[in-house]
Amino acid sequence: STGAFSPQPFVVRKHVSDTCLSSAVAEITTSPIAGMKPGTSGLRKKVEVWQGVDDANKYYVENFIQSLIDTAAENNGGKMIDTVIVAGDGRYFNNEAIQIICKVLAANGVKSIWVPQGGIMSTPAVSAAIRMREGGAAQGGIILTASHNPGGPGEDFGIKYNEEYGQPAGEDFTDALYEKTTTISSFKSLEGGDDIDIGAEVNTSFQLTEESAVTIIDPFAEYVEVLKSCFDFDAMRAFAQRPGFTILFDGMHGAGGPFAKRILVEELGFPESSLMRCDPKPDFGKCHPDPNLTYAAELVKKMGLDSDGSSLGCTDATPALGAANDGDGDRNLIAGAGCFVTPSDSLAIICDNWKAIPHFSKAGGPKGVARSMPSSAALDVVAEALDIPFFSTPTGWKFFGNLMGSKEQFDQRDYTPFLCGEESFGTGSDHIREKDGLWAMLAWVSILMDANKDVAEGEPLVSVQDVVSNHWSKYGRHFYCRYDYEAVDSDAANKMMDLIRTELVAGDVSSIGADDSGIKIVSGEEFSYIDPVDGSTTSKQGLILQFEFENGDPARAVFRLSGTGSAGATIRMYLEKFEKDESKHGEAAPVALRSLADRAIGLVQLKQITGRDAPTVIT
Ligand code: G6P
Ligand code: ZN
């Protein structure tokens, strides 16, 4: 029963029983295992590596966790941390890993270990629980996820650590952790004793040692509460009854499913038929749990969309609003009937509609907004119009965390409420310190509710498409799409990046001129970022090529290597072109951007160097 999830009816009972699982603390000899350097968000490896199938990896989980909590203790003034959440996205090996981790934590003297009933929590729910849990916030959360990477035998498993404000551990932390994995010689664990019952009733506690206990917690409580503080649940509940307002949420068999059920169905009263694939599965039902046009194909089709985001036509049965989450529930895809909303547009539209979202309207609007550099400039123009501080950061949610946390951590300017997002299907705010898939969906429910406030019952509803088109007429459209080349040979990928660096960034591009397409390269730049809050510099964050079309229209292509893959390298090419002319807004983005894509691919010699004729994903 590996990682299997059986939904438990939720029962609150104060303190059921204290079960003492008799066991002894043991110090076990181990040796360093190479390659434990966490990436953009945690350490991701094939599950067999974590399982220790090869003898050399026997203590893979133990080595990593011992190094992790030693690092956490070091940051805690040399004292072992005392409260930690351990939860996962339900992928294959979830529950086995929870058992191993609880033993290592208890043997090291971590006093309170909180495990959600069923073992599953979405990443945003963990972030909320770390920040808010009654009786004092937790000092950290160990999240078992490889996010949007597939799960199951032969697929990925991962572990990441979030710190006390609920934010992903920063580079200082992961560097120190990595150092420890290279010198580790022993770890502590428990010998003997039964496994804890992860399915036990909420508030059951298992005394693992005299000082350490595992308590089964309600996975939903803090998260539901924090969403209630962001949105008007009463108004949404009423709007859910509105004829014609149907929604469809695709959980992709990940951790977001049970949370969607709890919030959309139980709290807001949408019918069960609003949910698809909301039962977590260890292998995500063999799907690739990444909510984009390629991998969320089933939802995309149900929304009346083709795989390039263009409309195939809708019927009365097409839902008015659709959304999908990734494996751990932090990413989101938003669509309307026959209308795909690019993440960068979704972010800009949420920003422009801040009055519809209580979290922002209570404060008179967001006090700061940010996007990752590769995301489109759709947000920039809204921020300018609204005159709010705007930031363009490297890829990775932690850069937003620093900006949102500036007051509490550094006693500097207060940017909260804060709104931020990334082209990689991440959207969120300062309500937690992670991106939040369901939050994005509720933001869109709120926007539609507001757009329809003067529409009489019986009249056709203002649709997602209407909201998007109106936004484009107001601000212009930033055509945007991304090409991914997955599992490319790492040397080849680096060679291509080096070529861009030397020839198009450092080199003189003025002599290159236009080809048959008439598209000319204007300049090249490598993105680096100085954090305005802590002053740290992050360099080599993407190669930006600026272009000009024959008619003078500016466009850009950005090249970046993914920080989240687990095999070879993933090259990402981000394409963007601004169009003010409303009559041209109807085109599908990949179509509008094809000539730019061809031009960029040719210039960087992608085909020659990588041997790839076509991308793995276009989204
Ligand atoms: C994760 C992080 C995001 C980041 C994304 C980029 O989802 O949480 O903050 O944008 O990875 O992934 P990439 O594969 O492009 O490095
Ligand atoms: Zn994720």
Side-chain angles (χ1 to χ4, degrees):
S1 69
T2 306
F5 177 76
S6 45
Q8 305 276 341
F10 165 58
V11 190
V12 188
R13 249 165 80 186
K14 287 283 164 227
H15 227 74
V16 177
S17 66
D18 279 357
T19 321
C20 192
L21 309 170
S22 75
S23 51
V25 173
E27 179 136 10
I28 297 161
T29 305
T30 186
S31 38
I33 303 173
M36 288 195 170
K37 197 170 177 63
T40 316
S41 45
L43 182 66
R44 295 178 192 176
K45 297 282 172 192
K46 292 293 161 206
V47 68
E48 288 76 13
V49 173
W50 292 101
Q51 285 175 310
V53 169
D54 283 349
D55 240 14
N57 295 332
K58 184 166 174 207
Y59 294 128
Y60 205 89
V61 174
E62 289 90 339
N63 274 20
F64 188 70
I65 295 296
Q66 184 70 53
S67 305
L68 190 161
I69 53 173
D70 285 345
T71 309
E74 223 167 69
N75 284 2
N76 190 36
K79 243 179 69 224
M80 185 44 68
I81 51 173
D82 47 36
T83 315
V84 177
I85 298 176
V86 185
D89 64 11
R91 68 180 59 228
Y92 185 71
F93 194 54
N94 191 72
N95 290 3
E96 288 83 344
I98 291 178
Q99 300 291 353
I100 298 170
I101 293 167
C102 286
K103 287 184 177 146
V104 175
L105 296 182
N108 277 280
V110 176
K111 291 197 188 70
S112 310
I113 304 162
W114 295 334
V115 172
Q117 187 187 51
I120 295 180
M121 250 166 125
S122 69
T123 287
V126 177
S127 185
I130 293 173
R131 295 166 65 75
M132 299 172 54
R133 198 157 153 78
E134 226 185 315
Q139 280 160 311
I142 296 174
I143 312 178
L144 317 182
T145 175
S147 188
H148 49 282
N149 295 4
E155 302 292 357
D156 286 1
F157 187 82
I159 299 185
K160 68 172 188 165
Y161 185 65
N162 281 28
E163 298 180 276
E164 61 180 330
Y165 297 115
Q167 83 281 25
E171 233 147 271
D172 288 354
F173 188 100
T174 50
D175 286 349
L177 188 173
Y178 174 64
E179 276 308 307
K180 292 196 195 316
T181 67
T182 63
T183 55
I184 189 169
S185 58
S186 69
F187 64 86
K188 288 189 185 144
S189 184
L190 302 180
E191 275 183 343
D194 292 333
D195 280 353
I196 56 162
D197 175 7
I198 296 174
E201 283 175 40
V202 167
N203 286 330
T204 308
S205 71
F206 301 93
Q207 202 69 39
L208 295 191
T209 69
E210 211 155 288
E211 55 170 355
S212 299
V214 170
T215 302
I216 301 297
I217 64 166
D218 171 8
F220 303 106
E222 289 77 25
Y223 185 61
V224 172
E225 199 181 315
V226 84
L227 287 184
K228 281 185 176 164
S229 77
C230 293
F231 300 103
D232 186 342
F233 270 48
D234 290 335
M236 287 194 291
R237 201 174 297 121
F239 190 59
Q241 299 305 319
R242 185 82 180 246
F245 189 60
T246 47
I247 63 167
L248 184 59
F249 179 90
D250 181 1
M252 298 192 99
H253 294 303
F259 291 84
K261 178 165 193 240
R262 174 63 190 265
I263 286 154
L264 300 176
V265 175
E266 291 165 31
E267 295 283 342
L268 299 179
F270 286 101
E272 286 267 356
S273 56
S274 310
L275 306 178
M276 66 181 265
R277 303 199 287 186
C278 280
D279 50 328
K281 289 191 176 169
D283 63 354
F284 303 108
K286 305 236 180 317
C287 83
H288 188 146
D290 198 2
N292 58 38
L293 288 172
T294 302
Y295 295 130
E298 211 178 315
L299 174 92
V300 165
K301 201 165 157 217
K302 289 195 162 128
M303 296 309 298
L305 291 166
D306 204 350
S307 60
D308 66 358
S310 59
S311 176
L312 289 172
C314 305
T315 68
D316 283 351
T318 312
L321 176 65
N325 273 13
D326 72 336
D328 64 330
D330 56 356
R331 291 189 170 191
N332 75 89
L333 175 151
I334 297 290
C339 172
F340 166 63
V341 189
T342 310
S344 298
D345 277 346
S346 169
L347 177 64
I349 292 168
I350 292 172
C351 184
D352 198 41
N353 286 277
W354 61 266
K355 287 192 178 117
I357 297 162
H359 182 65
F360 300 125
S361 62
K362 276 185 291 208
K367 294 214 196 84
V369 295
R371 64 163 170 94
S372 65
M373 179 278 287
S375 309
S376 91
L379 178 68
D380 313 23
V381 294
V382 177
E384 200 186 340
L386 300 178
D387 194 20
I388 31 184
F390 161 85
F391 304 89
S392 165
T393 63
T395 296
W397 204 260
K398 61 187 172 212
F399 295 98
F400 299 143
N402 245 16
L403 295 165
M404 304 177 204
S406 57
K407 184 152 171 275
E408 62 193 338
Q409 282 168 295
F410 301 95
D411 197 25
Q412 290 187 6
R413 172 150 186 192
D414 187 1
Y415 292 118
T416 56
F418 192 78
L419 169 69
C420 49
E422 302 179 279
E423 56 69 36
S424 55
F425 295 82
T427 321
S429 82
D430 59 296
H431 64 297
I432 54 170
R433 290 295 179 274
E434 287 278 7
K435 51 187 176 285
D436 189 343
L438 262 175
W439 184 93
M441 179 167 203
L442 297 186
W444 271 91
V445 171
S446 305
I447 289 170
L448 291 172
M449 194 161 76
D450 186 61
N452 283 289
K453 63 179 186 290
D454 298 326
V455 176
E457 193 114 356
E459 293 292 310
L461 291 174
V462 174
S463 67
V464 170
Q465 178 73 69
D466 298 332
V467 170
V468 171
S469 304
N470 291 341
H471 186 86
W472 291 339
S473 339
K474 187 166 164 195
Y475 291 103
R477 177 172 180 188
H478 293 263
F479 277 103
Y480 190 84
C481 87
R482 193 184 85 205
Y483 283 32
D484 293 338
Y485 298 83
E486 292 171 356
V488 170
D489 173 69
S490 292
D491 290 340
N494 286 319
K495 190 173 160 203
M496 192 198 80
M497 296 297 276
D498 282 341
L499 177 132
I500 304 176
R501 244 175 230 121
T502 50
E503 295 191 8
L504 305 176
V505 172
D508 175 20
V509 295
S510 63
S511 59
I512 296 178
D515 66 355
D516 288 351
S517 67
I519 304 171
K520 200 167 82 194
I521 179 163
V522 178
S523 63
E525 176 203 344
E526 183 149 31
F527 182 63
S528 76
Y529 176 73
I530 300 174
D531 190 302
V533 173
D534 67 16
S536 61
T537 301
T538 313
S539 50
K540 295 198 163 178
Q541 292 301 307
L543 296 158
I544 308 170
L545 306 179
Q546 302 287 356
F547 292 90
E548 201 178 277
F549 275 62
E550 217 159 16
N551 65 0
D553 280 354
R556 76 169 193 175
V558 175
F559 287 88
R560 221 191 116 248
L561 298 185
S562 153
T564 59
S566 65
T570 294
I571 297 172
R572 300 202 196 286
M573 176 175 75
Y574 311 85
L575 304 162
E576 178 177 352
K577 182 176 180 294
F578 179 68
E579 183 59 72
K580 186 77 204 156
D581 182 354
E582 216 176 302
S583 71
K584 295 185 184 151
H585 287 169
E587 212 168 1
V591 177
L593 295 166
R594 186 146 313 140
S595 58
L596 176 65
D598 291 343
R599 181 71 176 122
I601 289 168
L603 266 181
V604 307
Q605 297 178 25
L606 191 145
K607 286 185 187 171
Q608 296 91 314
I609 297 177
T610 67
R612 292 296 181 86
D613 275 337
T616 329
V617 171
I618 298 184
T619 196

